Amino acid sequence: LKTDQDNGIILADGYAPPHWDEFRQNFTTAMIEAGFPACPGEIMVRNPMWSKPLAAWCEDLRAWVLTPDEQALMNVAIFYDAAPVVGDSTLLDRAKAYLFDLLQDNAAFHARFARAIDLFDTPLGFFSTFVTEKGPHKDELDIKKGGIFPLMHGVRALALQQRLTETNTVQRIRRLQAQGVFDKAFGEQLADAFNCLLGLRLSARLEKARLHKPLDNFIRPDEVSKLERDLLKDSLQIVKKLKEVVRHRFHLAMF
């Protein structure tokens, strides 16, 4: 169940590592050999776009903010979620501080960034009935698109607006709760919903692995227990409520 790798490097300005190109390629290859597949989007050390000096990072961050097309918004999301692993972590701190300064009072960018919460419909219909797929995934729902992604991204958008440095979704929820963006009850509901959705996806994937089926983000509501179905419905209702909070806070009706 290992995910694909997402990694990069920030070099101190003026530093030229020996055997730089060879090191970057060898690092990515070693990660693949260790069991972490290559990232389809090439967000890896071997890609020069994700391995460069601090000044070059700042130039790209500025370009992404000034021209926020779909790819630029995705790049900002990826970068904002980055956490230091080894080396001088202040380089990442400085790059993120630069991003925060670029976004100061930039309501238009924040709205475009937050708008991704509406990329996928929440799979709940009237009377809290599940809206499942047709075709190859008949009677299934995509728990990532319908629940996990909009919850993660909604929290991410609010955290970015507040200049939070946490990268973990639950930690971001706690900080947003502490800052009054959420009340205590809703913050707890969000954290519980996130953990529930992740748990249901994990259970479904483990069962598919046991049966030697392809791993994906689909689950069949009719194959889980009544308690799990009720928790899934409650969690998706919380996702819908979060979407309303994000739409209101970023005035998405105007865009």
Side-chain angles (χ1 to χ4, degrees), residues 52-74:
K52 55 201 174 191
L54 176 61
W57 273 105
C58 291
E59 289 176 9
D60 281 350
L61 288 169
R62 182 175 179 81
W64 296 341
V65 169
L66 293 179
T67 311
D69 57 20
E70 183 177 345
Q71 186 60 55
L73 293 170
M74 184 181 299

Side-chain angles (χ1 to χ4, degrees), residues 2 15 17 28 34-35 44 47 63 77 81 98 100 130-131 135 172 179 204-205 208 215 227 232 235 240 243 254-255:
K2 290 190 176 86
Y15 176 59
T28 299
M44 295 178 290
N47 183 351
D81 285 350
Y98 182 76
F100 293 151
F130 292 115
V131 178
R172 284 174 173 171
Q179 293 191 0
R205 284 184 167 186
K208 287 176 182 178
L215 303 183
L227 175 60
L232 176 57
S235 297
K240 291 181 72 171
K243 285 184 172 183
M254 299 172 59
F255 290 85

Side-chain angles (χ1 to χ4, degrees), residues 99-171:
L99 174 63
F100 293 151
D101 289 343
L102 286 172
L103 295 178
Q104 186 73 26
D105 300 322
N106 192 335
F109 179 91
H110 282 295
R112 289 189 180 94
F113 188 77
R115 194 167 52 185
I117 61 162
D118 286 325
L119 284 174
F120 311 108
D121 292 332
T122 308
L124 275 183
F126 293 111
F127 310 112
S128 294
T129 54
F130 292 115
V131 178
T132 55
E133 301 278 328
K134 296 178 175 59
H137 292 284
K138 187 176 184 298
D139 298 328
E140 296 180 313
L141 60 83
D142 190 323
I143 197 169
K144 181 178 180 180
K145 289 181 178 180
I148 296 171
F149 171 78
L151 193 157
M152 285 183 65
H153 190 70
V155 170
R156 179 193 288 133
L158 292 165
L160 180 61
Q161 185 189 48
Q162 297 297 309
R163 302 172 64 110
L164 301 187
T165 56
E166 286 79 5
T167 57
N168 175 278
T169 297
V170 174
Q171 290 175 355

